[in-house]
C-alpha cells in the first residue's frame, strides 16, 4: 500500500511541475490548463485512498 501512495505523490509532483510550465506558456488559457492539471495531479491520490479504504473494510478485523 505504501508503494501506491508514494507513486501517487510522485505522479502528483511531476504533474504539477509540467502543469506549471504549460500554464505559464498558455497565456489567456492558463486558468483552464491549471484547473485541468490540478485535477489530474489529485486524481491518483484520491483513487489510492479509496482503494486503501476499500481494502481496510474488506479485510476482517482480528480484534475481538
Amino acid at each position: 500500500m505504501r508503494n501506491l501512495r508514494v507513486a501517487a505523490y510522485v505522479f502528483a509532483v511531476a504533474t504539477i511541475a509540467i502543469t506549471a510550465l504549460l500554464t505559464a506558456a498558455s497565456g489567456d488559457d492558463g486558468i483552464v490548463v491549471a484547473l485541468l492539471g490540478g485535477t489530474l495531479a489529485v486524481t491518483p491520490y484520491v483513487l489510492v485512498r479509496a482503494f486503501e479504504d476499500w481494502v481496510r473494510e474488506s479485510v476482517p478485523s482480528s480484534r475481538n
Side-chain angles (χ1 to χ4, degrees), residues 1 3 6 9 13 18 29-30 33 35-38 40-42 47-49 51-52 55 59:
M1 291 298 174
N3 291 340
V6 170
Y9 287 145
V13 169
I18 292 168
D29 297 326
V33 174
L35 289 173
L36 291 174
L40 181 62
V42 172
L47 292 175
V48 168
R49 290 293 303 219
F51 180 71
E52 288 174 347
V55 168
V59 176

Side-chain angles (χ1 to χ4, degrees), residues 4-5 13 16-17 19 22-23 26 30-32 34-37 39 44 46-47 55 57 63-64:
L4 286 175
R5 190 175 287 195
V13 169
I16 290 168
T19 299
L22 292 175
T23 301
S26 63
I31 189 69
V32 174
L35 289 173
L36 291 174
T39 302
V46 171
L47 292 175
V55 168
E57 292 175 2
R63 298 178 188 166
N64 290 328

